[in-house]
Each structure stands twice: as structure tokens, then as C-alpha cells.
Amino acid sequence: MGRRVTRIAAAIGSALLVLALAACDAGAAQVAAPASTSPALPALSSLTPVDDPRAVEGPSTVVIGGPALPPIVAPAPQLPVTVRSADGGGREVTVRDTSRIVALSLSGTVAELVHALGLGDHLVGRDVSTNLPETATLPVVTKKGHTIDAEAVLALKPTLILTDGSIGPTDVVLQLGDAGIPVVTIDRATDAESTYRAIGQVAAALGIAPAAETVNTALRAAMESKTAEIARLLPADPSRRPRVVFLYVRGAAGVYYLFGKGSGADSLISSVGAVDAASEAGWVGERPLTPEALVKIDPDVILVMTKGLESAGGIDGLLAAQPSIALTTAGEHRRIIDAEDTRIFAAGTLLPDIMDGLARALYAPDPGAQG
């Protein structure tokens, strides 16, 4: 990754690699998940927030609607174009044809950015994490979780491969380049600032560099608008803002990681006005959960990935596997919030939608989901 990548981006990158390894160990994502269809949700402004988000009882699910930003109408690509790949070596790549694109990343964000820039119909294959409705029929070119299948990629005869370096193996990526396919690496999008950079890099590689300004301007406006909407849901008393931790769970593999400062979970939690309790307690990065640490942190809410929670046998299974959770306020209240694995850290132009979904679950949870 280039030197401009932020510390948060680097940290969440390592966290996502932990996710990939655990998913492979657990046998998760062996086949492509069906493309998700985003529900129509009432505006945040129409919701009535709870008086005290720290006192809510029962589980909730992060429902991610949207997309807040529809794809633009892309200008005609100006090709050939030569761009600098962000793979650490300053390699220059010339792109002559963008008619058949394969976009690869652990979170599905690279393909989502191609779609946002208006060239989604040029995608001919997808990674297992790309679940846009428009890509549902595309062949999956990753296997055993998040491993690139070189033969599957080559069979699609791509004219351009875009990747953020989050999946490999590296020798497979090199093999694709040796086959004469232009391979462009972009910075990994994990938060707003790295997303703006990634959009610029993808647009440049597609030969539509001016389109990046259009998408970035719209995304900045959407982020600002969503932040203002969420602010109206926050309790007037700052002491009532929920203290949240993100717990990475793969029950079948016995993997339990607590994410703290610099992991990316901290920026997500703070973006919706909540307190990242792990960072507050001095927890740095992604480290194996210890019962003593969790009890000391005593979060009001534990955020997990949906498949992770399922792998532990639901809330009851999670409490049985990690009895320390029951000793926290979150455990006592069964206040576990789950979010779709491939989208909660997706970043890209989905950021406003992810913030929206998490804010709903924290401040105006569906009463039917509680108990």
C-alpha cells in the first residue's frame, strides 16, 4: 500500500486478513452468497430514539439500506491511460481496454467503486464478497473463502484487473500480470479519506479521472448529511452515549478477537456518536479476547458479524463459549448487535448506508427485535 494510507487503513487491513483466515478455517463462504437486496427504510429523521441507549435490552441487527448514492453516468473512457499502481513499487501500468474488468478485494469494495463510477456493466467476474444485485449472475473467481482462482479469472479474458491487495495469494496476482493482463493495485478503502483516494485511483485506471470528483463530491455531501441525521438521535446527556466494542467471532474455529484503537472498528463506532469502549480502555489493534479485559471494559453493546454470531450458536452459544460476556452490561442485557459480514467494513460509497444502519440499531432499535 502507498505511503499515504492512514494508520487506521493499515490496521483494519490486518483485521480483515484475520477475518479471511478465520473464514477459510471455518469453511465459511465456500460458495458465493446471493446478492443482497437492500430494503427501503424510513428516514432517520422519522424515528423516535430511545431515552437511554445504554439501557436498551435485547439483540438488534444492523439493517443496511440504500444505496444512498446511485451510480453516475460515466463519461467515455479516455484510453490508453498510464497510471501508477499502489503496490509499493511505484509500478506504472498502461490500460488500453476497460471492456472486461475483474475487480478483487476482501470486502467487495473495489467492484462497488467501479459500479459507483458508472462502469459496473463492464465487470465480468466477482469476488465472493461482492454482493451488489447487479453482479448476482457474474461468475465468482475466488475459492475457499477469499483466494483468487487464477484459472477462473483467465477464463473470463479480462482486459483489466483491479485489486486493493487485500486478497491473494501474491503469486497468483503476479501470474495474472505475467499473462499480459494489466493489473492495477489501488489503496484499500476503509474509511472516508481512504475511500476518496481509492475512488480517484479507480477512476484514473478506468480512463475517467474527472468522474472521481463527481462521486467524491456526492459522497462527502452524503456523509455530512448522514452525520447531521445521526446527531438528532443522540441522547442530550453525553454520559448516555452507548459504550460499544467490536468482537470478531468464529465459533467453530475458536477465534475471538477484540478490536481496539486503530483497528477501523473504532472509527466506525465513533462515526455514529458512540464510544469505542475498547479504545477508551487502552486496547490497541486486534488482539485475542481475554475474559479479564472484557469484564474490565464492561461494554453496553457488543457488535459482531452476523455469520460470526451464527458460528458461535447465536447469543446463547456465544455466552456459553465466553462466559465473561455474561458478566458485562451487554451480556446481562443480551445487547448484541450483529451486522452483515461483507458490508460492515465495506467502506466505499456504502459508508453513509453503513452509518445509517448502525445508528438505527443503537438509538432506535426495532422493538420487535428486542427481548
Side-chain angles (χ1 to χ4, degrees):
M1 297 177 72
R3 289 177 297 175
R4 297 182 299 165
V5 180
T6 64
R7 181 170 58 83
I8 288 179
I12 191 61
S14 62
L16 287 170
L17 290 177
V18 170
L19 185 161
L21 290 172
C24 292
D25 290 341
Q30 294 290 331
V31 295
S36 62
T37 54
S38 299
L41 300 173
L44 283 181
S45 58
S46 70
L47 303 180
T48 301
V50 296
D51 291 333
D52 185 359
R54 298 186 65 177
V56 174
E57 297 190 11
S60 297
T61 294
V62 174
V63 179
I64 299 175
L69 296 178
I72 66 169
V73 176
Q78 301 299 305
L79 300 172
V81 63
T82 299
V83 297
R84 192 174 298 277
S85 184
D87 50 13
R91 181 172 54 91
E92 289 192 340
V93 181
T94 298
V95 179
R96 294 181 171 82
D97 185 349
T98 60
S99 62
R100 299 184 64 80
I101 303 169
V102 173
L104 302 168
S105 61
L106 190 61
S107 63
T109 299
V110 178
E112 188 270 322
L113 293 182
V114 173
H115 174 73
L117 286 160
L119 292 183
D121 58 345
H122 291 207
L123 293 167
V124 295
R126 65 185 177 100
D127 52 58
V128 75
S129 295
T130 296
N131 62 356
L132 297 167
E134 297 82 359
T135 63
T137 60
L138 295 182
V140 176
V141 296
T142 50
K143 59 183 180 180
K144 294 182 180 178
H146 301 278
T147 301
I148 300 171
D149 184 338
E151 292 183 0
V153 174
L154 292 172
L156 297 175
K157 296 181 169 44
T159 58
L160 172 63
I161 294 172
L162 293 170
T163 179
D164 63 3
S166 59
I167 57 175
T170 302
D171 59 348
V172 172
V173 178
L174 294 173
Q175 177 185 349
L176 295 172
D178 290 342
I181 306 167
V183 178
V184 177
T185 300
I186 66 166
D187 287 340
R188 193 175 303 163
T190 59
D191 57 13
E193 290 306 317
S194 57
T195 291
Y196 301 142
R197 289 196 300 273
I199 289 171
Q201 293 166 336
V202 172
L206 296 177
I208 54 172
E213 173 111 13
T214 302
V215 175
N216 280 338
T217 297
L219 179 57
R220 285 190 176 93
M223 293 282 290
E224 292 173 2
S225 175
K226 192 59 61 180
T227 299
E229 286 184 77
I230 292 172
R232 291 193 286 270
L233 298 179
L234 301 180
D237 183 353
S239 69
R240 289 189 170 184
R241 294 194 180 189
R243 299 175 63 258
V244 183
V245 297
F246 175 79
L247 182 63
Y248 177 77
V249 177
R250 276 299 180 266
V255 175
Y256 299 89
Y257 270 71
L258 186 63
F259 285 18
K261 185 176 182 180
S263 68
D266 55 339
S267 60
L268 172 64
I269 292 168
S270 63
S271 74
V272 295
V275 177
D276 179 46
S279 296
E280 181 186 58
W283 195 269
V284 178
E286 316 84 29
R287 293 152 53 193
L289 173 69
T290 64
E292 297 80 10
L294 188 62
V295 171
K296 183 177 180 180
I297 292 170
D298 190 23
D300 303 310
V301 179
I302 295 177
L303 177 64
V304 297
M305 292 179 174
T306 302
K307 290 188 185 303
L309 184 60
E310 291 172 356
S311 75
I315 294 177
D316 289 335
L318 183 61
L319 293 173
Q322 294 291 332
S324 60
I325 293 176
L327 301 178
T328 67
T329 301
E332 180 183 351
H333 291 169
R334 296 175 67 86
R335 191 70 179 118
I336 311 295
I337 294 179
D338 69 285
E340 186 179 342
D341 297 44
T342 61
R343 303 187 81 185
I344 190 61
F345 287 132
T349 59
L350 294 177
L351 277 170
D353 303 309
I354 296 167
M355 292 168 59
D356 181 283
L358 183 54
R360 291 172 192 272
L362 285 171
Y363 304 117
D366 179 359
Q370 299 182 42

